[in-house]
Amino acid sequence: EAGVAQSPRYKIIEKRQSVAFWCNPISGHATLYWYQQILGQGPKLLIQFQNNGVVDDSQLPKDRFSAERLKGVDSTLKIQPAKLEDSAVYLCASSLGGTGGAYEKLFFGSGTQLSVL
Amino acid sequence: DAKTTQPPSMDCAEGRAANLPCNHSTISGNEYVYWYRQIHSQGPQYIIHGLKNNETNEMASLIITEDRKSSTLILPHATLRDTAVYYCIVRVAFSSTLTFGKGTMLLVSP
């Protein structure tokens, strides 16, 4: 079974530039998540999609971050303009149904490591 | 969701059992205990979860105390590949959000 695919693996940009990350979830998974992981900390949820609708974006800095999931499959996360504090690993995850049942497991990709200089 | 407390780091000798503790003293009756781990440069990986009974799968065992205020993840025969950050997460049933803390960095040495 193919896992969650993310690209690029690494990205280096200067502050005030824009950047985009791409995620392809596991086939058939209705729910997609974007997490931000700053060095030394656990992942923090940015946004959750159920199919192509947003379920939770309460921690997404909407003045600079945006995300979309067209057709309920692939997703892109964009930062514009980037700040130094956005340096982090951006993880995408997917799960089967998003109903949050006891057996709901999240499957994570390997992430995109962003460095903002 | 209830908060969890884990030691920041632990060491374990290869081949020995690794016992990772987690305190969740404010856990509610409808909250499950989940364990994920994150190997360096990879995303987190699901290990096991439980409500109140002890659980075992091919990766690990989960022991939850009778009062459910703490739990222990057991890796019965740790290998070098088990070196990772282990996250204990308490999650309400029917809530798909996972909230990660800082976890425990487990170092398995030869």
Side-chain angles (χ1 to χ4, degrees):
Chain A
E1 173 180 274
V4 176
Q6 290 189 247
S7 67
R9 190 74 176 89
Y10 304 93
K11 190 71 177 180
I12 300 173
I13 62 172
E14 294 187 351
K15 60 182 179 183
R16 292 187 290 274
Q17 287 187 323
S18 63
V19 64
F21 313 125
W22 174 82
C23 173
N24 188 353
I26 292 173
S27 177
H29 279 196
T31 308
L32 185 146
Y33 314 77
W34 282 102
Y35 281 81
Q36 178 194 57
Q37 186 171 25
I38 293 172
L39 187 64
Q41 299 182 18
K44 182 185 83 171
L45 179 68
L46 292 176
I47 189 167
Q48 176 185 340
F49 291 94
Q50 178 76 12
N51 296 310
N52 60 352
V54 175
V55 174
D56 182 358
D57 63 356
S58 57
Q59 298 194 80
L60 187 73
K62 299 180 185 63
D63 57 334
R64 298 184 300 106
F65 286 64
S66 64
E68 61 181 8
R69 190 183 184 196
L70 300 176
K71 301 181 181 179
V73 182
D74 293 7
S75 177
T76 56
L77 176 69
K78 297 179 182 178
I79 308 174
Q80 182 179 13
K83 293 184 175 181
L84 298 178
E85 58 261 36
D86 298 331
S87 293
V89 175
Y90 291 84
L91 294 160
C92 179
S94 69
S95 63
L96 191 59
T99 59
Y103 298 97
E104 188 77 5
K105 303 176 190 177
L106 270 63
F107 296 84
F108 286 81
S110 295
T112 295
Q113 185 171 326
L114 174 67
S115 297
V116 182
L117 306 178
Chain B
D1 295 337
K3 300 296 183 188
T4 62
T5 303
Q6 298 178 255
S9 64
M10 293 184 65
D11 294 324
C12 180
E14 188 178 21
R16 304 296 295 268
N19 297 285
L20 292 91
C22 179
N23 181 287
H24 33 78
S25 58
T26 61
I27 193 170
S28 301
N30 64 344
E31 290 181 314
Y32 287 72
V33 179
Y34 284 77
W35 285 82
Y36 278 72
R37 75 178 182 183
Q38 187 171 22
I39 295 170
H40 182 63
S41 297
Q42 297 182 21
Q45 174 193 25
Y46 168 86
I47 302 173
I48 198 167
H49 76 277
L51 182 61
K52 53 184 177 181
N53 297 321
N54 297 338
E55 302 288 345
T56 296
N57 63 20
E58 65 279 3
M59 291 183 68
S61 294
L62 174 60
I63 308 299
I64 302 175
T65 58
E66 192 169 343
D67 62 7
R68 303 211 318 124
K69 293 184 177 181
S70 65
S71 60
T72 301
L73 178 74
I74 300 173
L75 307 179
H77 305 287
T79 70
L80 300 179
R81 287 174 293 183
D82 292 322
T83 291
V85 177
Y86 287 77
Y87 298 99
C88 170
I89 302 165
V90 170
R91 179 181 130 186
V92 176
F94 306 109
S95 163
S96 57
T97 301
L98 280 179
T99 301
F100 291 82
K102 291 188 176 182
T104 295
M105 174 64 215
L106 175 68
L107 177 62
V108 181
S109 302

